[in-house]
Amino acid sequence: MPSPTAHHPPPITHIPITLPLPQRLTASSAWGEVGCCVQMHGVAVDAVCYEERYRDVERFLQCCRACHNYAHTWACPPFEPHCPTLFTPGDTLWLVGTRLTPDDATRQLSATTAQRDAILHALIHEAIGMVESLHRQWEADVPGSRAYLFSACQLCEPLPCTRSEGKPCRHPDKVRPSLEALGFNLAQTADELLDMPLLWSTDHSLPAYTLLLTAQRIPHNDATDRQQ
């Protein structure tokens, strides 16, 4: 018999997602144009079940404290007030994995770790805007839904975040923290629920792919209507 403390992922139901993203994304870097293939995969899970099994606020808050963005952007912790639970029974959570696979020409540009980091930054920055637009459209289409996006908030660019100046957020109604910033285990989520493990590079080369993980909460009534 399995141990009563063994981890069992919540049942997942694959959902169709209309993807407005192009198959190839390009961005400008100090070494010229870079590009990658964009692929998205989404699954729907019971939101409460997911929170119970994949959220550990204290554990990941320790990780956040070591990040230079901690307490410096309004998309990062600490958050006030603290929310012990985010979801209510019947809510559905759409987990969306966006995989960026650099093309061969872009890989050849990565000869140093500095070049690798700059290329990844350029591709990720471009992809964030596209993925965020999709989630914002879902919020408009599904009343009561809410997106969970990125700690790298781009709402005020090119201006810096006001939090580092001790000022209120310029867009409090639009800022959307990431799942990780709220204490969710993204590595476990990507591996167990999306079948796309997070990859890291240990040298100057680009990883096989880079994964962006976002989510959309669908409230109980709308989730029920969409399943009927």
Side-chain angles (χ1 to χ4, degrees), residues 54-66 70 77 179-188:
Y54 289 84
R55 193 183 189 205
D56 186 339
V57 174
E58 290 306 316
R59 174 187 173 188
F60 290 99
L61 187 59
Q62 293 299 321
C63 299
C64 288
R65 288 193 179 103
Y70 181 80
L179 288 175
E180 187 175 28
L182 294 168
F184 289 92
N185 189 329
L186 297 195
Q188 189 177 356

Side-chain angles (χ1 to χ4, degrees), residues 8 13 52 81 136 150-151 154:
H8 297 286
T13 302
E52 290 174 349
R136 299 285 185 186
F150 307 99
S151 296
Q154 299 180 354

Side-chain angles (χ1 to χ4, degrees), residues 55-186:
R55 193 183 189 205
D56 186 339
V57 174
E58 290 306 316
R59 174 187 173 188
F60 290 99
L61 187 59
Q62 293 299 321
C63 299
C64 288
R65 288 193 179 103
C67 176
H68 68 279
N69 282 331
Y70 181 80
H72 282 82
T73 80
W74 289 112
C76 292
F79 298 115
E80 295 293 342
H82 169 65
C83 296
T85 59
L86 297 173
F87 309 123
T88 57
D91 286 352
T92 295
L93 193 68
W94 292 355
L95 296 168
V96 181
T98 301
R99 184 166 60 187
L100 311 178
T101 305
D103 54 35
D104 290 341
T106 297
R107 291 187 183 282
Q108 293 175 7
L109 294 174
S110 182
T112 67
T113 55
Q115 289 174 324
R116 176 202 66 195
D117 293 345
I119 290 170
L120 287 176
H121 180 271
L123 293 175
I124 291 172
H125 186 274
E126 194 71 20
I128 281 176
M130 301 174 74
V131 175
E132 180 169 340
S133 294
L134 174 63
H135 281 280
R136 299 285 185 186
Q137 187 59 54
W138 282 342
E139 284 192 342
D141 292 342
V142 185
S145 70
R146 186 174 183 85
Y148 298 91
L149 299 175
F150 307 99
S151 296
C153 179
Q154 299 180 354
L155 290 173
C156 294
E157 289 188 347
L159 297 175
C161 181
T162 56
R163 190 171 190 176
S164 60
E165 303 171 354
K167 298 179 180 179
C169 178
R170 296 186 185 95
H171 306 284
D173 58 328
K174 295 181 179 179
V175 67
R176 297 289 184 270
S178 67
L179 288 175
E180 187 175 28
L182 294 168
F184 289 92
N185 189 329
L186 297 195

Side-chain angles (χ1 to χ4, degrees), residues 12-45:
I12 60 175
T13 302
H14 292 266
I15 58 170
I17 297 178
T18 301
L19 306 179
L21 304 181
Q23 292 186 340
R24 187 173 186 271
L25 175 147
T26 60
S28 298
S29 75
W31 292 274
E33 184 179 89
V34 293
C36 66
C37 175
V38 177
Q39 295 173 294
M40 296 183 71
H41 176 60
V43 296
V45 299

